[in-house]
């Protein structure tokens, strides 16, 4: 350890004087165009966090926990090729500071991992060789140091703790020296991907990030640098969007080279005891993200986390093969496909040939109302989709579960009276959606794909959350609110429509008359998913058959 500390001091001084600097012209425009030709990449979160719970590490873990008994970088690369990905980005240093190479700068590195090649391995080299051998570009993820004496990061000591205490910390020289190692010992690195680049918790000062970026370019001018969640070219070569965190995407008319990172599985890392299978289906990856993002001048970086054995789980490998079969990097835009597109509209009508329509019931705050409605529907052999808020899911869980057992469908709704568009940002919207999703699971043990805002207003941040959460926003072609005679609605009602019955007693009282009218016209009232399954729309058939929302929490 003493030897490493001395080497660290020497290297930091050398880097500080710029001994390793190199000069060359950078044609950033050409590099950015080349980057966009890659289109699809594999983000690989694998580090000490794979072997402990929680997704974050502090740097204080027992290094003997790191024990990937079947480590196979070639398997990772083969899976990327099968999905027609063009590059990888590997977490060579994550939040805990554990370095997957033998670094002279830190005591937390691969030499402490005695259960992997007796501490003599070099995962950076093995990864680079495996991916290059399959003609894949290589990118390295690097997390800036985190730590300090107070707050959330007090227990995260990724630089020597005594330096924080003494005020002698030189995080800038440390980082530059580590990048010197990575950029001089492993051949051409196509991409450096930096997390926590704007964090004040690791000893960096304002302006230091730009110095690090310039340092990388001084060693390898053609290496692109992406700052996570940065959209100014002074701070990143490519605009970066961490979708699961910010819930932001490049705009429709985006003119700038960009990249969006996302997750195939539940978390960034697999963890002991957690489900390591994919939660995103092929349609989401290809049609709702990859193709639309490519049309917005953005690459899609999809995280695929290896398990504790050091392998991509079989289910992930199979999903990536299916993704590869579903798209072609050389295809023309599929924007005319019905499956294509990020969620931006509510569903009000379903194209069907059968004489049926959907009945929906919204946010009843009186349990007697929906019990009465269920009895009336049963009398006419009809079924419906009921939307409930988190509060009702919790307070009336048993009755809602009984509704589901009777063949009715349960959808989810935002809190009564809440306008989601008035919330501060997309993360606040997601918090509300997460709450009702969890409550619905607790009440019914089903994951509904159907969502209706209690106040039906939607904006860009709400669309983004619904798209990310795999939810289908539902509207109505005809709304029965009890304020007008049923005869006034009759001429407007036709097959395939979504008919919404409001929670007010006046509307509920009209339900039986509505069902009688439908019976006379030989129109069946059904739950929405059943209507979708009979649709001539491929998109709606796919959505109806998904078996539950592709929900990931995104709450790291």
């Amino acid at each position: 350890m003493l030897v490493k500390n001395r080497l660290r001091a020497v290297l930091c001084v050398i880097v500080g004087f710029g001994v390793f600097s190199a000069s060359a012209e950078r044609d950033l425009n050409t590099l950015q165009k080349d980057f966009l030709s890659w289109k699809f990449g594999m983000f690989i979160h694998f580090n000490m966090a794979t072997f402990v719970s929680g997704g974050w590490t502090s740097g204080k873990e027992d290094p003997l926990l790191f024990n990937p008994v079947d480590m196979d970088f070639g398997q990772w690369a083969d899976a990327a090729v099968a999905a027609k990905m063009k590059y990888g980005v590997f977490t060579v240093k994550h939040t805990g500071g554990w370095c997957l190479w033998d670094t002279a700068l830190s005591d937390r590195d691969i030499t402490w991992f005695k259960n992997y090649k007796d501490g003599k391995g070099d995962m950076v080299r093995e990864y680079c060789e495996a991916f290059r051998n399959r003609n894949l570009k290589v990118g390295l993820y690097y997390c800036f140091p985190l730590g300090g004496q107070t707050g959330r990061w007090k227990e995260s000591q990724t630089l020597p703790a005594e330096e924080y205490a003494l005020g002698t910390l030189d995080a800038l020289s440390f980082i530059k020296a580590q990048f010197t190692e990575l950029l001089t010992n492993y051949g051409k690195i196509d991409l450096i991907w930096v997390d926590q680049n704007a964090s004040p918790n690791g000893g960096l000062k304002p302006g230091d990030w730009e110095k690090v970026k310039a340092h990388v370019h001084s060693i390898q001018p053609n290496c692109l640098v992406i700052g996570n969640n940065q959209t100014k070219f002074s701070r990143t070569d490519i605009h970066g969007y961490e979708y699961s965190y910010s819930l932001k995407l490049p705009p429709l008319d985006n003119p700038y080279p960009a990249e969006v990172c996302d997750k195939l599985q539940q978390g960034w890392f697999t963890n002991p005891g957690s489900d390591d299978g994919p939660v995103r289906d092929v349609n989401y990856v290809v049609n709702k993200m990859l193709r639309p993002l490519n049309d917005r001048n953005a690459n899609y970086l999809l995280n695929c986390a290896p398990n504790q054995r050091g392998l991509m789980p079989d289910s992930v490998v199979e999903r990536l093969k299916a993704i590869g079969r579903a798209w072609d990097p050389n295809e023309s835009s599929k924007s005319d496909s019905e499956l294509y597109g990020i969620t931006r509209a509510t569903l009000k009508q379903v194209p069907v040939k059968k004489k049926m329509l959907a009945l929906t019931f919204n946010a009843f705050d009186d349990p007697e109302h929906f019990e009465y409605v269920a009895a009336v529907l049963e009398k006419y052999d009809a079924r419906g989709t009921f939307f409930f808020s988190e509060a009702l899911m919790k307070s009336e869980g048993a009755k809602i579960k009984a509704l589901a057992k009777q063949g009715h469908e349960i959808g989810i709704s935002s809190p009564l009276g809440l306008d989601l568009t008035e919330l501060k940002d997309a993360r606040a919207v997601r918090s509300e959606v997460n709450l009702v999703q969890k409550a619905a699971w607790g009440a019914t043990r089903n994951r509904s794909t159907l969502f209706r805002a209690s106040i039906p207003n939607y904006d860009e941040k709400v669309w983004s959350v619904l798209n990310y959460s795999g939810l289908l926003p539902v509207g109505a072609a005809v709304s029965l609110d009890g304020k007008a005679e049923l005869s006034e609605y009759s001429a407007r009602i036709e097959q395939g429509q979504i008919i919404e019955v409001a929670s007010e007693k006046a509307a509920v009282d009209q339900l039986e008359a509505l069902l009688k009218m439908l019976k006379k016209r030989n129109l069946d009232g059904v739950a929405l998913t059943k209507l979708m399954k009979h649709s001539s729309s491929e998109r709606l058939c796919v959505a109806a058959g998904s078996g539950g929302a592709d929900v990931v929490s995104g709450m790291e």
Side-chain angles (χ1 to χ4, degrees):
M1 184 181 298
L2 180 61
V3 172
K4 281 206 171 187
N5 285 340
R6 288 174 178 169
L7 281 171
R8 176 163 62 86
V10 170
L11 273 172
C12 286
V13 169
I14 290 174
V15 170
F17 281 105
V19 171
F20 289 102
S21 65
S23 61
E25 291 294 323
R26 296 186 78 231
D27 184 352
L28 182 57
N29 185 57
T30 298
L31 292 171
Q32 290 169 335
K33 287 181 179 178
D34 183 53
F35 173 80
L36 291 177
S37 73
W38 305 351
K39 295 189 176 183
F40 192 22
M42 176 182 279
F43 211 177
I44 308 160
H45 275 67
F46 183 82
N47 203 295
M48 178 60 82
T50 305
F51 299 88
V52 297
S53 61
W56 294 86
T57 55
S58 67
K60 298 179 179 180
E61 294 77 20
D62 180 356
L64 295 181
L65 290 172
F66 191 94
N67 186 25
V69 294
D70 295 313
M71 194 74 224
D72 190 345
F73 290 95
Q75 187 239 16
W76 301 2
D78 288 338
V81 170
K84 298 175 183 170
M85 294 168 166
K86 297 298 182 185
Y87 66 111
V89 177
F90 177 38
T91 55
V92 299
K93 177 179 173 290
H94 203 255
T95 56
W98 292 103
C99 302
L100 299 184
W101 75 100
D102 182 359
T103 175
L105 281 300
S106 174
D107 301 324
R108 299 173 183 83
D109 70 3
I110 201 163
T111 62
W112 279 28
F113 294 158
K114 300 301 182 182
N115 283 327
Y116 184 69
K117 298 187 176 181
D118 197 29
K120 298 180 176 64
D122 187 338
M123 288 190 164
V124 177
R125 189 172 307 283
E126 294 171 68
Y127 154 74
C128 288
E129 290 176 353
F131 274 61
R132 287 184 187 128
N133 286 342
R134 291 156 179 83
N135 296 314
L136 296 166
K137 305 286 186 182
V138 295
L140 305 180
Y141 165 109
Y142 183 97
C143 184
F144 275 8
L146 297 169
Q149 294 302 301
T150 59
R152 175 181 179 182
W153 306 108
K154 182 178 180 180
E155 298 304 315
S156 295
Q157 303 294 356
T158 62
L159 289 173
E162 64 273 11
E163 294 190 7
Y164 285 101
L166 295 172
T168 57
L169 176 66
D170 185 359
L172 176 60
S173 294
F174 174 89
I175 293 168
K176 289 169 70 175
Q178 285 213 310
F179 275 127
T180 296
E181 291 180 335
L182 291 170
L183 295 167
T184 57
N185 294 330
Y186 297 101
K188 182 177 184 288
I189 302 299
D190 300 286
L191 175 66
I192 292 290
W193 205 101
V194 181
D195 205 359
Q196 299 293 334
N197 56 80
S199 173
N201 298 300
L204 290 177
K205 302 175 183 65
D208 281 353
W209 162 230
E210 287 82 358
K211 294 176 184 177
V212 173
K213 184 169 171 281
H215 179 69
V216 170
H217 294 153
S218 75
I219 301 172
Q220 291 203 24
N222 291 330
C223 178
L224 288 164
V225 176
I226 294 181
N228 188 23
N229 289 317
Q230 296 291 348
T231 55
K232 292 183 179 179
F233 286 125
S234 61
R235 300 182 64 83
T236 185
D237 292 335
I238 303 293
H239 285 194
Y241 296 83
E242 184 184 351
Y243 189 33
S244 68
Y245 175 80
S246 69
L247 294 161
K248 293 180 180 178
L249 294 170
L252 277 168
D253 57 352
N254 172 52
Y256 306 114
E259 179 192 69
V260 175
C261 67
D262 196 4
K263 298 180 288 189
L264 182 65
Q265 297 139 289
Q266 181 73 24
W268 288 112
F269 291 90
T270 63
N271 300 120
S274 67
D275 183 1
D276 60 12
V279 296
R280 297 299 196 187
D281 61 18
V282 174
N283 181 55
Y284 172 89
V285 171
V286 174
N287 294 308
K288 294 179 75 64
M289 295 298 289
L290 177 58
R291 282 170 170 157
L293 290 174
N294 285 171
D295 285 347
R296 296 186 186 192
N297 280 321
N299 287 5
Y300 187 42
L301 183 64
L302 183 63
N303 190 67
C304 305
N307 57 27
Q308 288 78 43
R309 294 166 56 201
L311 297 172
M312 290 292 171
D314 291 343
S315 56
V316 168
V317 172
E318 291 306 311
R319 184 63 48 86
L320 290 173
K321 288 178 180 177
I323 289 168
R325 291 191 293 268
W327 86 293
D328 187 324
N330 299 313
E331 68 189 16
S332 57
S333 173
K334 298 291 185 180
S335 59
D336 59 347
S337 166
E338 192 192 10
L339 291 172
Y340 173 101
I342 294 165
T343 301
R344 292 183 62 83
T346 57
L347 179 65
K348 297 181 179 180
Q349 185 151 351
V350 176
V352 289
K353 293 182 179 178
K354 288 196 171 187
K355 291 182 71 63
M356 57 173 57
L357 49 72
L359 299 172
T360 66
F361 304 89
N362 297 318
F364 292 115
D365 53 8
D366 185 343
E368 291 184 3
H369 280 188
F370 62 79
E371 289 181 314
Y372 169 76
V373 167
V376 173
L377 291 172
E378 182 66 32
K379 179 179 178 180
Y380 289 89
D381 195 25
R383 295 294 181 269
T385 301
F386 291 76
F387 290 92
F388 294 107
S389 66
E390 178 209 5
L392 284 167
M393 291 283 189
K394 288 183 174 179
S395 65
E396 304 298 338
K399 292 177 180 177
I400 290 172
K401 188 174 183 179
L403 273 179
K405 284 186 176 180
Q406 293 168 26
H408 301 292
E409 183 172 43
I410 308 302
I412 60 177
S413 173
S414 54
L416 298 182
L418 176 64
D419 186 344
L420 293 173
T421 65
E422 294 182 355
L423 295 179
K424 180 177 70 171
D425 55 27
R427 288 169 63 80
V429 174
R430 178 173 61 186
S431 293
E432 295 292 346
V433 171
N434 279 351
L435 288 173
V436 68
Q437 285 179 315
K438 290 175 183 177
W441 174 255
T444 68
R445 282 297 183 264
N446 284 316
R447 300 192 189 279
S448 176
T449 59
L450 306 177
F451 176 86
R452 186 189 186 281
S454 65
I455 296 178
N457 295 335
Y458 300 86
D459 61 8
E460 199 62 40
K461 63 179 178 288
V462 179
W463 294 132
S464 181
V465 171
L466 298 180
N467 184 75
Y468 179 78
S469 300
L471 296 175
L472 179 65
V474 178
V478 176
S479 294
L480 193 68
D481 58 12
K483 295 178 181 178
E485 295 297 322
L486 186 62
S487 58
E488 294 185 29
Y489 298 102
S490 179
R492 295 161 48 200
I493 292 176
E494 59 186 49
Q495 70 185 45
Q497 288 180 330
I498 296 174
I499 308 299
E500 173 185 271
V501 180
S503 59
E504 287 77 16
K505 186 177 185 302
V508 172
D509 288 344
Q510 289 182 325
L511 176 61
E512 187 158 8
L514 171 67
L515 293 172
K516 286 180 179 177
M517 183 193 74
L518 296 181
K519 208 75 169 175
K520 287 181 180 179
R521 294 171 57 178
N522 293 316
L523 282 169
D524 292 333
V526 300
L528 179 53
T529 294
K530 181 174 181 179
L531 186 70
M532 291 161 58
K533 286 180 178 178
H534 287 88
S535 173
S536 58
S537 161
E538 183 183 5
R539 177 177 68 89
L540 295 178
C541 286
V542 168
S546 65
D550 294 322
V551 178
V552 292
S553 71
M555 302 298 287
E556 290 73 47

